[in-house]
Each structure stands twice: as structure tokens, then as C-alpha cells.
Amino acid sequence: MGRWRDGTGTLRVVGGAGGAGGGPGGGAAVGSNGAKEDPGGAEGGAEGVVGGAGRAEGIPLTIAASYRARARGLLGRDGLTGALLLTPASGVHTFRMRFAIDVAYLDRHLTVLDVHTLRPGRLGRPRLRSRHVLEAEAGALERWGVRRGVRIVIAPSPSAPPPPSVR
């Protein structure tokens, strides 16, 4: 498994109970370049387009993998377009933040372990099996269909290096 790097990309929600992939972790594959691919092939042209069964396609994503990017996170921002992936991470806080956020804890296979909404000034409990944390504005994860057991697919932007393959 390779290392994640700071950059951008797009996020899609697949799999999960009753979802497009047919079961937890189903529906996602790793391409030849190490990037995750969705066999359904539905690419969202617009930002955060919601497809069938409440699944979002083509959500803009910022990846924070370095210590400096993770420490900065969403501090000093008034809002967020898309989502922010903190990796590696198992917990977050919202001290000195200006808005409430949704937090999804992901395991090493990018399967959602838990989802919570945190108001400013709160400390989220760390999750033991969590390797990554996905943050978005409050209410966004529910609109996109992100819930426990759903799998996240990350496609890097052309200028960004591909994410590591997930086994």
C-alpha cells in the first residue's frame, strides 16, 4: 500500500446496505493506476450530483495527508465546498471552527464505520479501527447517502498523484 499525498480529487459513494454496490464494500474496484473505480461507470458532471438511491457522484474532495494540512483542516474557513479527507486520522475536534460539520470515520478499505455531526467547540471520540476521517458541512453526508457500512470511492484529479490501492 502506498502513501497518501495532499491534493484534490472527487468522491463517490457506492456499496453499502441497500446501495448500488449490493453489500458492504461491494461495487468498488481498483484500476491499473491504483485509483478506485466504480463498475457502474456513472460520472457526475456537476458538483455533488445525487444519483439513484441517494448516492452522490463527483463530489469535490480535498485530501489532507501531511501533518501541516491535517492540523490546519477547516480552521479559518467559513464553509466548505465538497469534502475534506484527513488521512491518517482516527478522531477530530471542532475547536475554533465557525460552522458545524458532518464527520464520517472510515476504515482502511474506505468503508464508513460511523457518522456524526459536530457543532463548533466539540471533541469527537476517536474510533479504534478508523484510518481516515471525511469532513463536510453539516447535513451534506446525509444528502450524499453516506452512512455506516457504505463504501467511499476516491478518484484523484489528473494533476494529483493517485491514492494508494486499498486491499
Side-chain angles (χ1 to χ4, degrees), residues 13 18-19 33 55 57 81 83 95 105 112 121 133 137 152 163 167:
V13 180
N33 65 353
R55 298 285 181 242
E57 303 168 352
T81 301
F95 300 122
Y105 298 90
V112 178
V133 175
E137 284 194 5
I152 303 297
R167 297 180 199 236

Side-chain angles (χ1 to χ4, degrees), residues 121-145:
R122 302 287 189 245
L123 177 64
R125 285 189 358 228
R127 302 301 189 271
L128 293 178
R129 291 185 6 225
S130 177
R131 300 284 178 168
H132 318 282
V133 175
L134 185 68
E135 297 180 345
E137 284 194 5
L141 295 183
E142 184 178 350
R143 282 192 315 271
W144 299 337

